[in-house]
Amino acid sequence: MKYIDEFRDGEVAQSIAQAIKAEADPGSTYHIMEFCGGHTHAISRYGLEDLLPANVRMIHGPGCPVCVLPVGRIDAAIWLAKQPGVTLVTYGDMLRVPGSKRLSLLKAKAEGADVRMVYSTLDAIKLAQANPDRQVVFFAIGFETTTPPTAVAIKQAQALDLKNFSVFCNHVLTPSAITQILDSPEVRELGTVKLDAFIGPAHVSTIIGSRPYEYFAEEYQRPVVIAGFEPLDVMQAVRMLVRQINDGRFEVENEFARAVTRDGNEKAKSLVADMFELRRAFEWRGLGLVPYSALRLKEPYAAWDAERRWDVPQDSPPDNKACECGAILRGVKKPTDCKLFGTVCTPENPMGSCMVSAEGACAAHWTYGRFRDLETSHA
Amino acid sequence: MCLALPALVTELLPDDSAKVNLGGVAKTVSLALVSDVKPGDYVIVHVGYALSVIDPEEAARTLELFREMGELAEDVPA
């Protein structure tokens, strides 16, 4: 398939790996965080860590939208699904994330709540049109990539004068999360997490462009390379970052120029700016309350805001005590550091969010990375 | 959720949507977030929406860079 196969060529990957090995200074270590779950998935799936020299290490970041949504918001979605006359619709991954007391939307559905999976926000609109006697609530989650599709649906609901459609908005912002990590005590004061550089998200950047990363590349003196989701994109980004670190540069470079420009997708950005405003703070799993890191609907769109229509609970119940998702999302721990990993917690029976989505660090490691643990334990 | 692939636009449809083909699988996606898409273009599709159009020249440039990497690496004694 065009634009896919040529970016998965194993021989080319080997040659880029050779170049990285030749350029990485054997006396230094390079700690590179891939912010985005799409990259985490690619790194595990194609065994990229095995291609990299031992002193170039990848750290998984919090860029998995399903993973960072806190338990309280899952509980709130379940609460909404149980309200009389409500049909709650959302993307597939959200159905299996455990909330408090291990209740998920899927279990709520089994108990009789009307919960449905949609592929696209427009399917949610169609469902509302087809069921005028039901209140269709779209449980909207995700980074800058999924926000414009939510905005398009609300615009359509407005055009159709759909009164039985609303959005439970949980959209969050990438730059705030990266800033929060760089400001965390582990990185800033304790130095327990060494972070030399970032691989910037692929699809988020198609929307926001490369410009937003310029601030913290400069401010925190960390190089950023925006990369596509194919294995060669990731390898090339690592090589570009190794080179920047060697040169003492901290610039924003764009490896994914085939889809990302400096200014991003203006049409999508203006749609979002017109409809959403910043929340003062929003809770993230693993990162706590992050200031100005999430969006809510502006007043003119209040009619489509589920949080204004219903008195949605705003609780913050803690994560399962034994689950290390929070520390894994901050890059402080690895999936194998969690005692639940692979024992009680598997993709079939997830205890925490990092095991639910294919982009979660635990699910990616469970599916593709476990053989490496055997090698290291025998080493 | 984020694992999307470039898909070939095969036909423009009314209502700002298009038929795309991904490895033989046909799908209808929304073009509400992009402009000036035509059949033959490759678009990145995410949750049912085309997010951006692939720039073939930039893609060729990136692939060329990979190849240059390979040639450079061969000159370095491993």
Side-chain angles (χ1 to χ4, degrees):
Chain A
M1 289 184 280
K2 197 172 176 188
Y3 296 126
I4 299 170
D5 297 342
E6 61 268 52
F7 288 91
R8 292 182 182 179
D9 184 320
E11 278 180 28
V12 180
Q14 295 282 1
S15 66
I16 300 177
Q18 285 294 333
I20 293 169
K21 196 175 165 192
E23 287 185 39
D25 173 2
S28 316
T29 55
Y30 299 80
H31 288 81
I32 297 170
M33 177 176 268
E34 88 278 3
F35 177 85
C36 191
H39 289 130
T40 302
H41 180 89
I43 288 163
S44 291
R45 178 172 168 185
Y46 297 99
L48 301 186
E49 284 189 291
D50 291 339
L51 288 176
L52 296 172
N55 59 339
V56 178
R57 290 296 90 205
M58 303 305 296
I59 299 164
H60 308 316
C64 153
V66 176
C67 307
V68 293
L69 198 69
V71 171
R73 302 300 279 184
I74 310 273
D75 288 355
I78 294 169
W79 180 90
L80 273 168
K82 289 180 168 177
Q83 297 314 296
V86 166
T87 296
L88 187 106
V89 292
T90 189
Y91 298 126
D93 278 343
M94 291 317 301
L95 300 186
R96 301 191 307 118
V97 181
S100 296
K101 303 186 186 72
R102 309 231 14 246
L103 186 63
S104 63
L105 281 166
L106 207 54
K107 284 183 182 160
K109 183 180 172 77
E111 288 171 3
D114 189 359
V115 177
R116 313 211 194 162
M117 181 184 115
V118 286
Y119 171 68
S120 154
T121 55
L122 297 180
D123 296 342
I125 293 285
K126 285 188 194 125
L127 201 67
Q129 283 177 290
N131 296 279
D133 56 329
R134 307 281 303 172
Q135 277 294 337
V136 173
V137 180
F138 177 62
F139 179 21
I141 70 132
F143 288 93
E144 291 88 340
T145 337
T146 50
T147 312
T150 301
V152 172
I154 293 168
K155 273 266 186 260
Q156 197 146 23
Q158 190 181 28
L160 295 164
D161 198 26
L162 263 187
K163 300 222 179 340
N164 66 326
F165 175 79
S166 59
V167 167
F168 176 39
C169 180
N170 293 275
H171 287 300
V172 285
L173 305 170
T174 300
S176 339
I178 298 184
T179 306
Q180 184 82 356
I181 290 170
L182 287 167
D183 279 335
S184 73
E186 290 103 348
V187 174
R188 201 158 248 233
E189 296 150 34
L190 307 173
T192 40
V193 177
K194 186 171 178 278
L195 274 185
D196 302 313
F198 282 91
I199 294 183
H203 292 168
V204 160
S205 307
T206 62
I207 304 292
I208 67 174
S210 62
R211 197 190 289 269
Y213 306 103
E214 290 166 11
Y215 158 76
F216 63 74
E218 182 64 39
E219 183 70 17
Y220 294 90
Q221 306 202 342
R222 295 293 200 289
V224 178
V225 173
I226 293 159
F229 281 146
E230 295 303 334
L232 294 191
D233 290 319
V234 179
M235 292 298 285
Q236 178 73 351
V238 169
R239 189 180 163 277
M240 289 160 82
L241 288 168
V242 164
R243 192 171 269 199
Q244 279 209 52
I245 295 165
N246 286 348
D247 296 348
R249 289 180 293 126
F250 31 88
E251 294 160 14
V252 177
E253 292 177 316
N254 182 6
E255 185 279 340
F256 198 35
R258 63 187 184 277
V260 172
T261 58
R262 186 160 179 242
D263 290 318
N265 182 331
E266 297 287 5
K267 195 172 176 184
K269 283 198 308 188
S270 67
L271 191 64
V272 169
D274 165 60
M275 197 174 288
F276 295 92
E277 61 192 14
L278 286 170
R279 291 175 190 257
R280 189 159 301 182
F282 192 73
E283 188 192 347
W284 292 54
R285 189 187 304 246
L287 303 180
L289 274 178
V290 183
Y292 301 108
S293 65
L295 301 171
R296 53 179 245 160
L297 284 161
K298 285 181 180 172
E299 192 58 44
Y301 296 94
W304 292 279
D305 185 352
E307 283 183 278
R308 288 180 171 103
R309 261 191 214 195
W310 284 272
D311 189 13
V312 177
Q314 301 286 339
D315 306 327
S316 307
D319 278 349
N320 180 321
K321 272 203 229 22
C323 167
E324 296 283 10
C325 270
I328 291 165
L329 289 166
R330 287 198 303 280
V332 178
K333 290 192 173 174
K334 297 197 295 293
T336 44
D337 296 331
C338 178
K339 61 175 184 281
L340 300 182
F341 177 82
T343 51
V344 277
C345 184
T346 62
E348 291 73 39
N349 181 42
M351 300 293 285
S353 59
C354 299
M355 194 56 104
V356 173
S357 162
E359 297 148 50
C362 295
H365 189 72
W366 168 266
T367 311
Y368 302 110
R370 278 177 296 154
F371 69 93
R372 303 179 68 236
D373 301 338
L374 288 173
E375 286 171 21
T376 46
S377 63
H378 291 308
Chain B
M1 246 181 78
C2 294
L3 303 174
L5 296 163
L8 172 68
V9 176
T10 53
E11 187 188 344
L12 297 181
L13 301 169
D15 293 341
D16 219 2
S17 59
K19 226 182 201 80
V20 298
N21 183 305
L22 181 64
V25 179
K27 213 170 166 35
T28 302
V29 301
S30 168
L31 300 179
L33 301 172
V34 284
S35 318
D36 307 328
V37 175
K38 54 194 183 304
D41 284 344
Y42 279 81
V43 288
I44 289 191
V45 177
H46 194 99
V47 294
Y49 288 79
L51 292 184
S52 71
V53 184
I54 298 260
D55 179 334
E57 284 170 23
E58 287 290 356
R61 234 192 303 268
T62 304
L63 288 167
E64 191 51 44
L65 270 179
F66 293 163
R67 266 189 292 278
E68 281 171 25
M69 283 307 87
E71 285 156 21
L72 281 176
E74 281 162 24
D75 299 338
V76 179

